[in-house]
């Protein structure tokens, strides 16, 4: 915001309160009410206003308070934000960043623990990314805001309290790239957002059983960056995709298809998936039964290794 006076933040309770997760805490005090705007409880209005601001040269950053609240704005996002650049034959850029806290694991009530990323990744004209750690959150948010295209920016709620040092002297990787976060030789484990930490824990546990698991943080969901994935799978011969969202017609299905198409002759086992069950997200007392955990990931790793 210091570098670009055209960056404007909008959202419910993001100003005086600093957001329900305090992500924008102090920014209204520093930059004023005209640039950090407390909006009414009207998600369609937030995104619709952002579209108008983007047309006038601003870079709006919209916070959707919780994942389940994005659906009133869904029409604006998929029919306006995603299409205006193409509709105007490139004359109107849409540099809008839409931040969405997503996923479960914090004991929240209905509409507060959903994983809607596949809806947006399926929409042409949108870029979709998911962060998994503090350093990526720091860099990728700035890269998203600088991007000339609309970016749906997913932030895993249960990782908000993770802390880590950020090396400001090292240039970050490009925004729309995946990254190997743990090297291995026996199986490739793909994850994004909140499940990267679980995948790394699974790889650590598998090492104690003599298995070498490579973990890749996908980071970008649309466009997918499968170059590092394909290179890894051609070495390991096995691949498991992990995400919190339901496996039915989820991103894991698309990734499994593409990996199978491109790495078929290298595969020693079918590409397997671990994800949420195909049910409505359960009440908070049951969410630990719904969310993929270390044991479920390791069970599927065992299945893949048995082929």
């Amino acid at each position: 915001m210091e570098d670009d006076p055209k960056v404007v933040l909008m959202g419910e309770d993001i100003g005086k309160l600093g957001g329900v997760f305090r992500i924008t805490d102090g920014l209204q005090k520093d930059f004023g009410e005209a640039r950090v705007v407390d909006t009414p409880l009207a998600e369609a209005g937030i995104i619709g206003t952002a579209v108008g601001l983007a047309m006038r040269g601003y870079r709006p950053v919209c916070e959707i308070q919780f994942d389940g609240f994005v659906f009133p704005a869904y029409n604006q996002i998929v029919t306006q934000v995603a299409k205006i650049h193409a509709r105007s034959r490139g004359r109107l850029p849409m540099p809008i960043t839409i931040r969405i806290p997503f996923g479960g694991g914090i004991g929240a009530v209905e509409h507060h623990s959903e994983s809607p990323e596949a809806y947006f990744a399926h929409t042409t004209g949108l870029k979709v990314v998911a962060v998994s750690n503090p350093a990526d959150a720091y860099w990728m948010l700035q890269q998203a805001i600088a991007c000339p295209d609309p970016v749906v920016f997913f932030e895993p709620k249960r990782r908000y309290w993770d802390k880590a040092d950020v090396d400001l002297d090292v240039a970050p990787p490009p925004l729309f790239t995946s990254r190997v976060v743990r090297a291995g030789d026996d199986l490739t484990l793909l994850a994004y957002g909140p499940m990267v930490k679980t995948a790394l824990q699974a790889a650590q546990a598998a090492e104690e059983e003599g298995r070498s698991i490579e973990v890749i943080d996908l980071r970008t969901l649309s466009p997918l960056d499968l170059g590092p994935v394909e290179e890894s799978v051609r070495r390991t011969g096995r691949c498991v995709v992990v995400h919190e969202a339901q496996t039915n017609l989820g991103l894991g299905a698309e990734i499994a298809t593409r990996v199978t198409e491109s790495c078929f002759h290298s595969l020693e086992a079918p590409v397997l998936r671990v994800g949420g069950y195909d049910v409505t997200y359960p009440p908070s007392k049951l969410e630990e039964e719904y969310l993929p955990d270390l044991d479920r990931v390791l069970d599927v790793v065992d299945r893949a290794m048995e082929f």
Side-chain angles (χ1 to χ4, degrees):
M1 295 186 72
E2 291 176 345
D3 294 340
D4 187 349
K6 292 294 186 180
V7 175
V8 178
L9 311 189
M10 305 165 59
E12 298 158 0
D13 295 325
I14 67 163
K16 289 182 173 60
L17 183 65
V20 292
F21 295 105
R22 304 298 187 268
I23 304 302
T24 54
D25 191 24
L27 292 179
Q28 191 178 70
K29 180 181 177 182
D30 291 343
F31 295 97
E33 296 183 4
R35 293 189 65 194
V36 181
V37 182
D38 276 319
T39 67
L41 304 182
E43 289 78 10
I46 295 170
I47 302 300
T49 303
V51 170
L53 285 167
M55 287 179 171
R56 300 291 292 177
Y58 288 87
R59 292 184 177 272
V61 180
C62 304
E63 178 179 298
I64 302 297
Q65 198 169 67
F66 283 93
D67 35 44
F69 299 174
V70 74
F71 299 111
Y74 189 72
N75 179 46
Q76 287 286 348
I77 295 172
V78 302
T79 64
Q80 306 300 337
V81 174
K83 292 182 170 61
I84 285 177
H85 184 67
R87 188 186 302 151
S88 65
R89 299 184 180 180
R91 287 191 289 270
L92 288 175
M94 275 288 113
I96 299 175
T97 301
I98 302 171
R99 296 180 39 241
I100 304 178
F102 83 123
I106 64 168
V109 297
E110 188 180 25
H111 306 312
H112 291 66
S113 302
E114 299 183 18
S115 298
E117 60 270 23
Y119 297 129
F120 300 101
H122 185 70
T123 302
T124 303
L126 298 177
K127 301 287 197 302
V128 182
V129 300
V131 297
S132 66
N133 61 78
D136 268 357
Y138 177 84
W139 289 116
M140 289 174 68
L141 182 57
Q142 295 179 68
Q143 292 170 318
I145 294 170
C147 180
D149 300 318
V151 178
V152 181
F153 194 91
F154 282 102
E155 305 169 4
K157 291 192 289 285
R158 59 173 155 151
R159 305 301 181 213
Y160 271 142
W161 294 271
D162 288 1
K163 297 184 184 301
D165 292 329
V166 178
D167 188 347
L168 301 181
D169 296 325
V170 176
L175 178 59
F176 302 113
T177 57
S178 57
R179 184 173 57 191
V180 176
V181 292
R182 180 189 173 104
D185 299 316
D186 296 333
L187 182 143
T188 304
L189 194 56
L190 309 178
Y192 58 86
M195 295 309 299
V196 173
K197 187 173 184 177
T198 306
L200 287 169
Q201 292 169 340
Q204 179 64 37
E207 185 179 43
E208 296 170 4
E209 299 177 356
R211 288 174 176 164
S212 174
I213 307 296
E214 182 148 296
V215 179
I216 296 180
D217 182 353
L218 292 170
R219 300 175 77 242
T220 174
L221 309 183
S222 182
L224 285 166
D225 176 32
L226 295 184
V229 174
E230 293 165 351
E231 187 280 328
S232 176
V233 173
R234 290 189 180 110
R235 281 190 295 103
T236 66
R238 292 175 170 83
C239 180
V240 172
V241 190
V242 185
H243 53 57
E244 265 191 40
Q246 294 98 322
T247 53
N248 182 44
L249 299 174
L251 276 165
E254 174 67 19
I255 294 167
T257 299
R258 292 204 199 180
V259 170
T260 301
E261 289 174 344
S262 60
C263 303
F264 181 77
H265 294 291
S266 302
L267 287 171
E268 301 288 342
V271 180
L272 301 179
R273 296 169 292 160
V274 187
Y277 299 113
D278 191 23
V279 297
T280 302
Y281 196 89
S284 58
K285 288 183 179 179
L286 296 174
E287 70 175 351
E288 293 304 324
E289 304 299 323
Y290 172 88
L291 294 170
D293 60 8
L294 188 62
D295 289 339
R296 284 175 59 192
V297 174
L298 289 173
D299 284 347
V300 177
V301 167
D302 288 343
R303 283 177 53 205
M305 297 300 295
E306 288 170 358
F307 281 90

